[in-house]
Amino acid sequence: MSDESEVLEPEIPEIVEEPEIIESTEPTADDLLAAANDKYLRLAAEFDNFRRRSRAERDALYADVRIETVAKFLPVYDNLARALDTECADEAFVKGIRLTMTQLVEILAGLGVQPIPTVGEKFDASLHNAVSQVSEEGIDAGIITAEFQKGFTLGGKVIRHSIVVVNA
Amino acid sequence: MAKIIGIDLGTTNSCVAVIEGGEPVVIANAEGARTTPSVVAFSKEGERMVGAVAKRQAITNPDRTISSIKREMGSAFKVAIDDKNYTPQEISAMVLQKLKADAEAYLGTRVTEAVITVPAYFTDSQRQATKDAGRIAGLDVKRIINEPTAAALAYGLDKEQEQKIMVYDLGGGTFDVSVLEIGDGVIEVLATAGNNRLGGDDFDKCVVDYLLAEFKKESGVDLTGDKIAMQRLREAAEKAKIDLSGLTSANINLPYITADATGPKHLDTTLTRAKFNELTAALVEKTVQPVKQALSDAGLQPSQLSKVLLVGGSTRIPSVQEKVKQLTGQEPFRGINPDECVAIGAAIQGGILGGDVEGLLLLDVTPLSLGIETLGGVFTKLIERNTTIPTKKSQTFSTAADNQTSVEVNVLQGEREIAQYNKSLGRFHLDGIASARRGVPQIEVTFDIDANGIVNVSAKDLGTGREQHITITSSTNLSKDDIEKAVKEAEKFAAEDAVKREEADTKNAGDQLVYQTEKLLEETGDKLESGDKSSLEDGIEKLKSALSGGDLAEIKEKTDELQKALYAVSEKLYAQAAPQDGNGGDGGGYTPPDDGVVDADYEVVDDDGDN
């Protein structure tokens, strides 16, 4: 019995405290200020990151546009290359195509466009796109044996991956 | 608290998005692509590759390249690489890790939390496996949501009234259709059906087969064994498919596709959309049964659907859209990139969980431009439409007449160039401006819009410090229709307004030149030769009469003439002034006439000045 009364006693002050607890759940001006300040800081930080990224994106834009534009012209290079690989009896005509190709290669080089080395190189998925595999004697595994389509880089970025055949 | 990213972990491709400044943004990967192939590979040297790079080496390394792992989620399937067995969760985690790293690079902060989507039909164990994959990747998966639910969130349908919708998702390799019930912010999947071996690649294959057959018919050459030719055909087929979503015919031009004894052979053909539809009709037809199934499982008639959402890149194909329309009797709902829609929805869910959407989305924009009326009835904008508020902008104006002591500020809202066609929100006068020549007083007009859209416009005479202001509370409560109407009208009348604007500008310029010349005569008339003086006076008279006549061409002509005369005279004045050196400097503020100073930006309102 005496134990119970001891238990009861501390309960009374707790009940008295209760309204205070309820009151303290109401956000105070300080809480609101802290929340608002937190929101403000977050937004400022987000904006700062956004601004930094926008600047970087703007800087990269010129290079990206150049890469995209060059990429659109590459099928013309491919087809000139295919034309030159084709037998043709008309030598003057072939020479015309060859000169056109030389001109295109010079223009590309002038823009900083570089062909990606393939045959004899080790396959590298960051530069090459493998579409076939062969087993050739005397060549190490993972070495490129043939190129289906020439790839190019510009300023270290790949414009188009080389399409290649790799030795197993 | 860091951002919660949203991830669409797909069978063939994955996509990641995040809420930024209250708007969902799709994050491009390190290679610059907005979706990442869900492919993982281990090189023989033990290097791990994820995404496009893994895909490019797949053929050289088939045993160590894993794609479509999503199909195995939640099963006991293991991928054995060297001595290690990887669970589907572990492989998926590698894809997630790449997406996480790309998001971190983009955001410039660490990312630890994510919302990941799964197909609506995923079982509990498949969902758990997806969650585990996130945990392995270092992501606390705040929620797993259904892909169709994410699509509905992307379109903001959770905020609309109670309704039932269908989500038709035709992706790279799978087809899913779901019927959802939306109400009270809760989205429930009523039924789902699909075909997990149907997607965009099948459409490409139809085109390749057709091209092969056509070429054989024409040239007698079978290209199937020619790997280079096949590679080119596949690329061309995909490109044609994409072109045919926008055009009714696509040109397929593959020079030197092969050669035989007779010489080189070229493939040059045109694929019409009608032919493409015919070739792929069987594929489109395969989606019919699942759609009917999902509707009947949900116990609904097509007419009970209020919307149909299209998800997945292949839903760009017009015949697919046509079929959906035919099946549901509804024009499908479009607008969000179907490849990115699910990731966007996941990001929105992440934003809601992280408080981003509630907290920051409240940033509003001004629905229409705000500004004031200036000389000649021209609307001068201070705040362009769609400017994020709160914002504040000031511009300095002046008087239009000598000794003008009062200006009226007419606050306008709208997109038309001519003041009278815009809505006047209110007007006020600022008086007590010190008497001065036109153009001298500086009146700073400031627009200040708070976060609630309340506009405070003030005008302050910088000379006397006198200030007036007006507060407008109704600038933002425009209906969508009002805004659209205002914008459309501005477009419609743009040419007409431009003419009126030019008229006002021409008159203002002429008027300004008359004033400038009169001022010059007044100040330096005694130094001028009588011939020069009379030529200026004559020019002024002519321009004035042109101005009162109102013929624009004539005003322009007379303005030019007077301008030339004025130039000639001021050159002489300069020549006179130069040798005198230091003598004429302080002579009453004579400034050389400057063609550029045409103060179109002031307001005539009060012509009670005494000139």
Side-chain angles (χ1 to χ4, degrees):
Chain A
M1 284 298 273
S2 65
D3 273 2
E4 274 181 27
S5 66
E6 270 178 23
V7 172
L8 275 175
E9 259 180 89
E11 270 182 35
I12 295 159
E14 266 180 39
I15 292 163
V16 174
E17 279 172 28
E18 233 174 300
E20 276 177 22
I21 294 165
I22 291 165
E23 267 176 9
S24 72
T25 58
E26 290 276 319
T28 64
D30 281 351
D31 291 340
L32 292 173
L33 178 64
N37 195 39
D38 179 66
K39 210 182 248 182
Y40 164 71
L41 287 175
R42 254 176 235 300
L43 192 61
E46 183 168 320
F47 179 67
D48 200 44
N49 284 326
F50 171 76
R51 188 170 46 197
R52 198 173 305 130
R53 195 176 54 247
S54 298
R55 194 179 304 145
E57 279 170 1
R58 202 170 49 234
D59 290 347
L61 193 63
Y62 180 68
D64 288 348
V65 167
R66 203 143 63 131
I67 284 172
E68 225 171 274
T69 309
V70 169
K72 292 246 190 284
F73 283 97
L74 292 180
V76 179
Y77 172 97
D78 298 333
N79 287 324
L80 283 174
R82 289 184 188 112
L84 289 170
D85 283 344
T86 309
E87 293 281 329
C88 181
D90 187 341
E91 270 182 45
F93 180 77
V94 172
K95 190 174 178 193
I97 298 287
R98 185 170 296 117
L99 290 173
T100 308
M101 182 59 146
T102 307
Q103 187 184 28
L104 179 60
V105 168
E106 278 171 5
I107 291 169
L108 288 175
L111 287 168
V113 177
Q114 291 183 328
I116 296 170
T118 50
V119 178
E121 298 286 320
K122 193 166 172 10
F123 173 75
D124 174 356
S126 67
L127 297 171
H128 311 124
N129 182 10
V131 291
S132 178
Q133 205 173 17
V134 292
S135 297
E136 280 188 35
E137 293 280 324
I139 297 176
D140 286 346
I143 298 298
I144 297 168
T145 58
E147 178 186 79
F148 282 2
Q149 191 178 70
K150 198 170 269 308
F152 296 90
T153 59
L154 176 55
K157 279 194 184 176
V158 176
I159 304 174
R160 185 175 80 179
H161 294 86
S162 303
I163 298 179
V164 298
V165 180
V166 181
N167 205 37
Chain B
M1 184 195 63
K3 296 253 174 205
I4 303 179
I5 56 174
I7 295 174
D8 170 9
L9 184 60
T11 306
T12 40
N13 288 299
S14 295
C15 183
V16 57
V18 71
I19 297 291
E20 203 176 29
E23 295 248 339
V25 179
V26 173
I27 298 174
N29 62 25
E31 297 78 42
R34 290 161 75 87
T35 57
T36 299
S38 306
V39 182
V40 174
F42 300 86
S43 76
K44 291 181 178 85
E45 293 77 29
E47 189 200 349
R48 190 199 291 168
M49 290 168 271
V50 180
V53 68
K55 206 173 165 185
R56 283 195 295 273
Q57 59 80 63
I59 205 143
T60 71
N61 192 21
D63 303 337
R64 301 160 74 91
T65 303
I66 307 113
S67 53
S68 303
I69 192 68
K70 187 176 179 181
R71 298 188 198 278
E72 308 297 339
M73 285 300 267
S75 75
F77 179 86
K78 293 271 165 49
V79 181
I81 304 287
D82 299 328
D83 307 332
K84 203 172 172 338
N85 285 322
Y86 292 95
T87 61
Q89 294 90 299
E90 287 173 300
I91 300 296
S92 291
M94 294 170 193
V95 176
L96 291 173
Q97 251 166 10
K98 159 137 178 89
L99 300 173
K100 174 176 182 273
D102 286 333
E104 286 176 343
Y106 176 86
L107 291 167
T109 55
R110 254 170 68 80
V111 171
T112 55
E113 296 174 319
V115 170
I116 303 178
T117 62
V118 295
Y121 57 76
F122 255 31
T123 62
D124 281 347
S125 70
Q126 288 172 307
R127 286 163 201 266
Q128 188 54 49
T130 305
K131 210 166 175 177
D132 290 345
R135 191 176 40 75
I136 297 165
L139 288 168
D140 176 9
V141 180
K142 297 308 255 186
R143 197 160 295 178
I144 294 283
I145 62 171
N146 291 317
E147 288 160 8
T149 302
L153 285 173
Y155 278 99
L157 301 188
D158 54 318
K159 297 191 201 83
E160 293 185 2
Q161 83 282 22
E162 213 165 285
Q163 57 183 323
K164 295 183 180 69
I165 66 159
M166 176 181 280
V167 178
Y168 180 104
D169 180 352
L170 186 57
T174 58
F175 169 61
D176 295 314
V177 55
S178 317
V179 176
L180 309 182
E181 181 168 18
I182 303 172
D184 279 339
V186 179
I187 302 178
E188 195 192 338
V189 179
L190 296 180
T192 168
N195 178 338
N196 63 5
R197 302 279 166 183
L198 177 66
D201 297 347
D202 299 312
F203 287 80
D204 297 349
K205 197 173 170 300
C206 286
V207 177
V208 171
D209 290 346
Y210 168 75
L211 293 174
L212 281 171
E214 283 294 294
F215 190 72
K216 194 168 179 188
K217 208 160 56 185
E218 245 174 56
S219 67
V221 180
D222 180 8
L223 295 173
T224 25
D226 184 339
K227 281 179 175 164
I228 300 182
M230 286 302 288
Q231 174 69 22
R232 291 177 71 193
L233 276 176
R234 274 192 293 269
E235 276 178 24
E238 195 190 348
K239 186 175 174 294
K241 175 185 76 176
I242 293 168
D243 287 350
L244 288 173
S245 290
L247 305 168
T248 52
S249 76
N251 186 27
I252 299 167
N253 174 12
L254 295 170
Y256 304 100
I257 188 82
T258 188
D260 65 8
T262 64
K265 294 252 176 292
H266 313 295
L267 190 154
D268 180 13
T269 184
T270 298
L271 182 63
T272 62
R273 190 188 280 173
K275 187 71 198 174
F276 176 80
N277 291 349
E278 181 192 319
L279 295 170
T280 58
L283 296 174
V284 178
E285 206 53 42
K286 279 188 183 175
T287 69
V288 172
Q289 178 51 30
V291 168
K292 287 185 173 162
Q293 185 69 48
L295 278 170
S296 88
D297 288 355
L300 294 179
Q301 294 298 315
S303 60
Q304 289 172 274
L305 295 170
S306 65
K307 287 184 186 73
V308 180
L309 308 186
L310 297 182
V311 177
S314 307
T315 60
R316 291 194 181 89
I317 297 171
S319 63
V320 170
Q321 295 172 358
E322 212 33 60
K323 183 58 82 179
V324 173
K325 199 171 150 188
Q326 188 194 321
L327 284 169
T328 63
Q330 303 243 357
E331 190 68 47
F333 220 58
R334 275 170 285 172
I336 300 180
N337 184 332
D339 294 314
E340 300 171 350
C341 188
V342 170
I344 285 172
I348 290 171
Q349 178 69 61
I352 293 169
L353 293 172
D356 259 353
V357 171
E358 308 238 78
L360 298 181
L361 251 181
L362 293 174
L363 281 181
D364 219 339
V365 297
T366 55
L368 293 170
S369 301
L370 292 164
I372 62 170
E373 180 174 350
T374 55
L375 188 63
V378 169
F379 175 42
T380 298
K381 288 180 191 173
L382 267 84
I383 295 178
E384 292 283 338
R385 70 184 292 256
N386 286 336
T387 301
T388 303
I389 55 175
T391 189
K392 186 174 174 175
K393 221 165 167 192
S394 296
Q395 194 170 327
T396 305
F397 297 89
S398 194
T399 49
D402 288 346
N403 303 321
Q404 181 181 336
T405 56
S406 168
V407 293
E408 186 190 52
V409 178
N410 182 10
V411 180
L412 298 163
Q413 179 178 48
E415 304 309 314
R416 299 284 296 270
E417 285 208 55
I418 303 302
Q420 70 181 92
Y421 301 129
N422 292 303
K423 187 182 171 199
S424 176
L425 297 175
R427 52 179 82 209
F428 63 94
H429 283 86
L430 174 67
D431 43 28
I433 298 168
S435 229
R437 283 190 177 277
R438 64 191 263 181
V440 173
Q442 286 190 295
I443 295 143
E444 186 184 66
V445 176
T446 302
F447 275 64
D448 190 349
I449 310 180
D450 73 6
N452 301 315
I454 295 168
V455 185
N456 201 319
V457 183
S458 60
K460 185 178 180 183
D461 177 2
L462 296 179
T464 61
R466 285 179 70 95
E467 193 174 342
Q468 265 311 329
H469 70 93
I470 189 172
T471 300
I472 297 146
T473 53
S474 60
S475 75
T476 48
N477 54 5
L478 290 166
S479 74
K480 215 173 159 184
D481 291 347
D482 289 340
I483 297 166
E484 271 174 20
K485 191 173 155 231
V487 174
K488 285 229 173 78
E489 275 193 358
E491 282 165 11
K492 191 174 154 197
F493 294 109
E496 198 177 299
D497 283 3
V499 170
K500 287 191 180 152
R501 170 86 196 231
E502 199 202 341
E503 201 176 301
D505 286 350
T506 306
K507 283 183 182 163
N508 288 347
D511 186 50
Q512 172 67 9
L513 188 64
V514 167
Y515 178 77
Q516 206 181 330
T517 316
E518 282 177 340
K519 195 174 152 201
L520 179 80
L521 283 172
E522 190 185 311
E523 283 164 3
T524 59
D526 49 340
K527 294 181 194 159
L528 294 177
E529 289 167 22
S530 62
D532 286 342
K533 197 173 171 181
S534 66
S535 96
L536 288 182
E537 279 164 353
D538 184 42
I540 289 170
E541 277 319 305
K542 281 183 178 152
L543 181 50
K544 271 185 174 170
S545 84
L547 280 166
S548 63
D551 180 346
L552 272 201
E554 195 179 343
I555 296 173
K556 273 187 189 164
E557 190 192 319
K558 299 300 170 205
T559 303
D560 275 356
E561 281 175 22
L562 179 55
Q563 188 80 67
K564 277 186 197 132
L566 185 62
Y567 274 151
V569 172
S570 44
E571 258 172 46
K572 278 190 192 170
L573 276 173
Y574 263 133
Q576 274 174 29
Q580 287 169 5
D581 203 32
N583 195 7
D586 198 14
Y590 164 64
T591 42
D594 178 353
D595 188 29
V597 183
V598 179
D599 283 358
D601 284 339
Y602 44 71
E603 163 75 19
V604 185
V605 196
D606 212 332
D607 269 331
D608 64 354
D610 26 11
N611 62 327

